[in-house]
């Protein structure tokens, strides 16, 4: 009985250890687990464009930046997914030189480069939406220019039934100022910077080997930019098994093996007394001393029987002589 209790406690300990063996580490960069609790896993690392090394094959297969047309916005965009742009940029408006290499999305206007977000691999699952956000781009400009931009972006009509005037992008400076204003982000009046939000959609077309990015729009201040990306890697799938962890199948196998061992060994120990007696009896029968005592006993019985026969014969002879 004690063995069964110990075996049950041991099984529980092993099962708990197997559960603890699965690491609760954070998801790898550019991956996300569904926030709905379904366990769906998303991995956009194959969509990240990386400059191929010379003489080596490219792991992701994407070696060029993604491009998206602004159409009525008047500007085209260059961006990457979860990484900085492959083709390096320089002289980015409003950014120090040491952060130019982190630019993940930008557009050009009159020869100037405007960043709309720096590198981030922090992919998020918000319900059914898969979202990636870049922040820390070029300054958005003062809020006082909202009304002037709104007036310039309004749709004018020449007359009844006439087509609206296309929305025009605000006029960027032809040349950058020679001296940058001494304004820091941690000042009382923080600098508002451009940002980018990319929403990913599952592309069910198996022939789409590379993601496609489309420009959706921007806010009235032209400070936040929104894109939509379609990719086969944005489709939910099961999370791969992590090296060094114990999966559900392994946990079940361990518990099953322990149950078999408990059943087998428990039966052996439960009947250990009977088996011990049987084994001892079998062994003692094979001992030479046992056979010797048996032979002595049989010899003594034979001699006793012979003495009795002789006595009866003598008595019979004595009776005959008397007659």
């Amino acid at each position: 009985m004690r063995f069964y209790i110990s075996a049950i406690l041991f099984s529980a300990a092993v099962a708990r250890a197997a559960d603890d063996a699965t690491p609760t580490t954070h998801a790898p960069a550019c991956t996300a687990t569904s926030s709905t609790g379904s366990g769906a896993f998303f991995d956009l690392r194959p969509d990240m464009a990386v400059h191929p090394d010379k003489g080596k094959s490219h792991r992701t297969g994407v070696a060029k930046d993604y491009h998206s047309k602004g159409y009525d916005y008047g500007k085209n965009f260059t961006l990457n997914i979860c990484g900085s742009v492959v083709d390096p940029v320089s002289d980015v408006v409003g950014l120090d030189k040491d952060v130019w290499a982190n630019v993940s999305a930008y557009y050009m206007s009159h020869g100037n480069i405007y960043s709309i977000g720096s590198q981030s691999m922090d992919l998020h699952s918000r319900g059914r939406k898969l979202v990636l956000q870049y922040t820390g781009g070029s300054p958005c400009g003062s809020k006082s220019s909202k009304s002037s931009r709104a007036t310039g972006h309004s749709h004018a009509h020449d007359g009844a039934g006439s087509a609206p005037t296309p929305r025009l992008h605000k006029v960027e400076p032809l040349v950058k100022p020679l001296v940058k204003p001494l304004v820091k982000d941690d000042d009382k009046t923080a600098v508002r910077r451009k940002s980018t939000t990319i929403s990913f959609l599952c592309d069910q077309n198996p022939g789409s080997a590379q993601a496609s990015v489309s420009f959706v729009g921007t806010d009235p201040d032209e400070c936040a930019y929104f894109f939509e990306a379609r990719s086969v890697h944005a489709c939910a799938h099961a999370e791969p098994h992590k090296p060094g962890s114990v999966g559900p199948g392994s946990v079940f196998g361990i518990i099953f093996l322990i149950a078999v061992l408990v059943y087998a060994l428990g039966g052996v120990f439960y009947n250990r007394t009977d088996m011990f007696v049987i084994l001892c009896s079998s062994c003692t029968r094979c001992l030479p001393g046992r056979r010797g005592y048996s032979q002595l006993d049989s010899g003594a019985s034979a001699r006793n029987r012979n003495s009795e026969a002789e006595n009866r014969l003598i008595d019979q002879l004595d009776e005959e002589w008397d007659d």
Side-chain angles (χ1 to χ4, degrees), residues 44 46-49 60-62 64-67 79-81 198-201 203 205 207-214 228-234:
L44 296 183
D47 289 328
M48 181 172 58
T60 64
V62 182
K64 295 182 179 180
D65 293 317
Y66 295 90
H67 299 278
L79 65 161
N80 195 1
I81 296 175
I198 307 175
S199 177
F200 293 89
L201 300 176
D203 190 353
N205 185 6
S208 301
Q210 185 174 343
S212 60
V213 183
S214 302
E228 183 179 87
R230 292 183 175 273
S231 171
V232 294
H233 301 106

Side-chain angles (χ1 to χ4, degrees), residues 140-155 167-171 220-222:
C140 299
S142 61
K143 295 183 180 180
S144 59
S145 60
K146 287 183 181 179
S147 58
S148 62
R149 286 199 298 268
T151 303
H153 294 162
S154 62
H155 290 174
R167 180 177 180 271
L168 300 178
H169 183 272
K170 70 174 184 177
V171 178
D221 295 333
E222 299 184 21

Side-chain angles (χ1 to χ4, degrees), residues 8-294:
I8 292 173
L9 294 176
F10 178 73
S11 302
V14 171
R16 184 165 54 252
D19 291 337
D20 296 339
T22 303
T24 56
T25 57
H26 297 288
C30 203
T31 66
T33 303
S34 176
S35 60
T36 60
S38 62
F41 184 73
F42 306 92
D43 187 356
L44 296 183
R45 287 176 293 182
D47 289 328
M48 181 172 58
V50 180
H51 195 282
D53 296 331
K54 294 181 179 180
K56 296 182 180 180
S57 59
H58 188 44
R59 183 178 64 86
T60 64
V62 182
K64 295 182 179 180
D65 293 317
Y66 295 90
H67 299 278
S68 178
K69 292 184 178 181
Y71 294 103
D72 60 329
Y73 183 68
K75 297 292 183 292
N76 297 327
F77 302 90
T78 302
L79 65 161
N80 195 1
I81 296 175
C82 288
S84 58
V85 291
V86 174
D87 295 330
V89 293
S90 58
D91 297 332
V92 183
V93 173
L95 294 183
D96 294 332
K97 183 177 181 180
D98 56 349
V99 295
W100 291 349
N102 296 332
V103 174
S104 291
Y106 69 92
Y107 66 86
M108 297 185 65
S109 176
H110 301 294
N112 298 329
I113 298 177
Y114 293 85
S115 170
I116 57 175
S118 297
Q119 176 181 359
S120 173
M121 302 183 75
D122 194 8
L123 188 66
H124 289 281
S125 172
R126 294 191 175 98
R128 296 184 178 181
K129 296 294 184 180
L130 193 61
V131 179
L132 180 65
Q133 189 174 34
Y134 299 145
T135 59
S138 298
C140 299
S142 61
K143 295 183 180 180
S144 59
S145 60
K146 287 183 181 179
S147 58
S148 62
R149 286 199 298 268
T151 303
H153 294 162
S154 62
H155 290 174
H157 295 270
D158 295 333
S162 60
T165 304
R167 180 177 180 271
L168 300 178
H169 183 272
K170 70 174 184 177
V171 178
E172 304 286 359
L174 294 177
V175 294
K176 289 177 287 185
L178 298 178
V179 180
K180 294 183 180 179
L182 300 177
V183 180
K184 297 182 179 179
D185 290 349
D186 55 356
D187 289 346
K188 293 182 179 180
T189 304
V191 176
R192 299 172 64 245
R193 294 188 175 276
K194 298 178 183 290
S195 64
T196 293
T197 301
I198 307 175
S199 177
F200 293 89
L201 300 176
C202 173
D203 190 353
Q204 299 290 351
N205 185 6
S208 301
Q210 185 174 343
S212 60
V213 183
S214 302
F215 173 67
V216 176
T218 183
D219 65 338
D221 295 333
E222 299 184 21
C223 199
Y225 295 79
F226 303 92
F227 295 85
E228 183 179 87
R230 292 183 175 273
S231 171
V232 294
H233 301 106
C235 301
H237 59 275
E239 185 174 2
H241 180 71
K242 300 181 180 67
S245 64
V246 180
S250 300
V251 173
F252 177 79
I254 293 173
I255 295 176
F256 178 76
L257 179 60
I258 293 174
V260 172
L261 291 176
V262 169
Y263 178 79
L265 297 178
V268 171
F269 280 91
Y270 183 78
N271 298 316
R272 64 185 183 277
T273 303
D274 296 338
M275 294 187 67
F276 178 77
V277 172
I278 294 171
L279 291 174
C280 290
S281 300
S282 301
C283 292
T284 54
R285 289 175 183 176
C286 298
L287 293 175
R290 181 72 178 179
R291 293 196 300 269
Y293 285 117
S294 299

